[in-house]
Amino acid sequence: MVTKQFTGSPDEADLTRADSLAREIFSDVANKWALLIIDVLGRRTLRFGECRNEIEGISHKMLTQNLRMLERNGLVERVVHPTVPPRVEYTLTEPGRALRETVHRMCDWTHQYLGHIEASRRRFDT
């Protein structure tokens, strides 16, 4: 899940351009696991196992990859406590918390229109 390094200026970060930083970031965070991780970390700081328990169906590998990607993009902070064994905690950064507000609104939208979407799918599929 590693994206190429963007070499342009922030002003050139346009979602419609294939070589844009905005498009790279959007591609990284706009996946089902990243959105769910952002949502659960928005509630509180979690250890890896706690985060995995909060997200039904996520594998160890997918959680690891997505946490690393979110950390790389500055949305999640990983703190390692010097204990034996090491205790690692994940929390959202300020940009991550801001994104979580949008993610939370998307979740609310899903709940609001779930019945409509299900009915539309049934009509379409018949």
Side-chain angles (χ1 to χ4, degrees):
M1 191 181 303
V2 176
T3 56
K4 67 181 180 66
Q5 185 67 36
F6 178 73
T7 57
S9 73
D11 294 335
E12 296 169 339
D14 178 358
L15 272 177
T16 61
R17 290 189 39 214
D19 64 347
S20 166
L21 176 59
R23 190 165 172 173
E24 285 183 36
I25 295 167
F26 190 74
S27 175
D28 281 350
V29 301
N31 75 68
K32 67 179 178 180
W33 297 123
L35 294 174
L36 293 172
I37 292 166
I38 290 166
D39 191 50
V40 300
L41 287 178
R43 297 179 204 152
R44 63 186 171 95
T45 297
L46 295 171
R47 295 179 67 178
F48 184 91
E50 294 171 323
C51 191
R52 188 168 176 203
N53 290 340
E54 291 284 328
I55 303 170
E56 185 177 330
I58 193 166
S59 68
H60 186 280
K61 178 182 176 181
M62 289 309 300
L63 181 56
T64 299
Q65 287 178 345
N66 277 276
L67 283 169
R68 286 181 182 164
M69 173 273 299
L70 292 168
E71 183 181 8
R72 178 177 182 258
N73 283 306
L75 303 174
V76 167
E77 180 181 16
R78 178 179 181 262
V79 177
V80 180
H81 299 277
T83 59
V84 178
R87 189 177 86 231
V88 181
E89 295 178 327
Y90 298 89
T91 190
L92 292 181
T93 61
E94 189 275 322
R97 288 189 301 274
L99 180 57
R100 199 249 182 185
E101 293 174 20
T102 301
V103 170
H104 198 67
R105 285 192 300 272
M106 289 172 59
C107 292
D108 288 345
W109 174 88
T110 303
H111 289 233
Q112 182 178 352
Y113 292 104
L114 188 60
H116 172 83
I117 293 167
E118 287 177 324
S120 180
R121 285 180 174 185
R122 281 191 300 273
R123 283 191 307 275
F124 184 88
D125 292 344
T126 56

